[in-house]
Amino acid sequence: MKKNIIIAIALALLLVSCGGRNDKETIKIAYLPITHALPSVELQHAENVNVELIKYGSWPELLDALNTGRVDGASVLIELAMKAKAQGVGLTAVALGHTDGNVIVVAEDIKKGEDLKGKTFAIPHRASSHHIFLQEALAKDGLAIEDVNVVEMAPPEMPSALANRQISGYCVAEPFGAVGVNISKGHVLYRSDELWPNSICCSLVLNDKAYSEKKQQLDKVIEAYLKAGEKLVDKHEALVKSKEILSQPDDVLKQSLEWIDFSHLVITPEAYEELVSKVKKYGILNNPPSYADFVKEK
Ligand code: ZN
């Protein structure tokens, strides 16, 4: 009799713990502290999902965590994930981080695009929309990528590199464009919507193995993420969430948020095809994955 009671209690505990794991399993999402990652930040406050944000200091470190499944998903530059997918890593893009929201910031002595000839220009990674914006801007002003010295740099280092005259311009995830303008060492040469309207840049990308193992939970996360984007259309809400991950003055964050659009986070086939044509045109990726292979349709 006593033995049966012990077995019954053990079974009950097992059921409770299994049920608990399904309902409350923590989903790990990697991010860099940038205003482009705000839908992921907002996710932490969403109902019905238990999301833990894991902060990284650089795109290569974050991508490695995503590729190896140390995190379930990440807010990442979409071209980096496309490149990994093209190399055989199981990744799926499920939503955008934002549309628009990048600027080309240049030093005071750069009055027009042509002045960039022979100068050093920083981007976060060659596989990025920032590389596309730079090439669109150069083309507009009759220059080509060979006319500038392109360097890769971690986003937070760019404003000080501009102030020190180590570089003459940069294009990177926000708020670091706004930071460069705020310290009065830079000005905006082009906003990204002047070069590529409704551009794609960051995306929420899931590790396929994690998705197959935690599909139910991750489907809820995708749903919550899209709702999070709707909340961020409210500028005050976006500012509050920015302050959770960034210690920048309100003026900088407000300027940054003026440029970013969180209202269209679904990846449409048309927008993805436009991105594919640009990554091919500018030599960023020769064999980008197709929409059907890489994007989860809403
Ligand atoms: Zn972005």
Side-chain angles (χ1 to χ4, degrees):
M1 178 69 178
K2 199 174 171 187
K3 196 177 165 190
N4 285 348
I5 291 171
I6 291 170
I7 291 171
I9 291 171
L11 275 173
L13 283 173
L14 188 69
L15 282 171
V16 166
S17 73
C18 285
R21 192 160 66 233
N22 283 338
D23 289 343
K24 293 179 184 169
E25 190 166 26
T26 302
I27 297 298
K28 291 182 177 173
I29 303 287
Y31 80 109
L32 255 57
I34 51 179
T35 40
H36 289 185
L38 289 190
S40 292
V41 178
E42 185 78 56
L43 256 187
Q44 284 191 124
H45 305 274
E47 288 171 10
N48 303 324
V49 293
N50 190 6
V51 169
E52 180 188 359
L53 286 188
I54 316 276
K55 182 165 116 178
Y56 284 85
S58 74
W59 290 120
E61 284 175 278
L62 174 142
L63 191 74
D64 187 59
L66 176 65
N67 289 352
T68 56
R70 291 206 302 283
V71 294
D72 302 306
S75 176
V76 63
L77 299 175
I78 195 165
E79 293 86 350
L80 274 181
M82 289 162 80
K83 192 176 173 189
K85 173 75 181 176
Q87 290 167 346
V89 182
L91 298 178
T92 299
V94 297
L96 295 177
H98 58 99
T99 54
D100 298 328
N102 288 286
V103 288
I104 293 208
V105 179
V106 292
E108 281 169 347
D109 60 329
I110 307 291
K111 305 290 184 204
K112 52 191 187 310
E114 294 95 312
D115 297 340
L116 280 172
K117 193 174 169 100
K119 298 291 197 314
T120 299
F121 192 97
I123 53 174
H125 199 286
R126 280 182 167 73
S128 70
S129 292
H130 308 98
H131 200 183
I132 297 174
F133 299 131
L134 170 62
Q135 299 200 57
E136 295 274 7
L138 293 172
K140 219 175 164 76
D141 294 316
L143 298 179
I145 196 72
E146 296 76 23
D147 292 319
V148 291
N149 174 32
V150 177
V151 293
E152 290 180 346
M153 197 175 271
E157 292 172 19
M158 294 188 195
S160 56
L162 187 79
N164 299 336
R165 309 186 71 80
Q166 193 186 334
I167 55 175
S168 292
Y170 64 87
C171 184
V172 72
E174 279 300 310
F176 299 106
V179 172
V181 173
N182 186 260
I183 58 175
S184 303
K185 294 290 178 186
H187 66 100
V188 175
L189 187 64
Y190 291 112
R191 288 191 322 270
S192 56
D193 59 299
E194 296 174 292
L195 302 165
W196 170 14
N198 308 311
S199 56
I200 289 179
C201 164
C202 301
S203 172
L204 178 66
V205 177
L206 302 182
N207 176 289
D208 286 350
K209 187 163 178 287
Y211 192 34
S212 64
E213 289 169 0
K214 307 170 191 175
K215 189 172 182 309
Q216 204 183 355
Q217 280 295 98
L218 280 164
D219 278 340
K220 282 187 192 168
V221 167
I222 298 168
E223 202 179 312
Y225 181 94
L226 293 170
K227 282 192 186 146
E230 289 168 20
K231 283 191 182 172
L232 292 167
V233 172
D234 178 324
K235 298 284 182 200
H236 177 71
E237 175 69 10
L239 179 65
V240 169
K241 292 298 175 292
S242 302
K243 287 155 84 85
E244 286 184 15
I245 56 163
L246 285 154
S247 50
Q248 293 288 346
D250 281 13
D251 284 356
V252 169
L253 296 172
K254 281 180 184 168
Q255 174 60 82
S256 167
L257 295 168
E258 278 306 309
W259 291 324
I260 307 173
D261 188 353
F262 294 109
S263 64
H264 301 96
L265 302 190
V266 172
I267 312 175
T268 64
E270 297 75 21
Y272 186 76
E273 284 315 317
E274 193 179 6
L275 169 67
V276 161
S277 75
K278 287 183 191 294
V279 298
K280 286 183 182 170
K281 178 180 175 187
Y282 292 123
I284 290 165
L285 266 180
N286 296 324
N287 57 340
S290 69
Y291 184 87
D293 283 346
F294 180 58
V295 181
K296 182 184 182 295
E297 261 188 281
K298 170 77 177 99

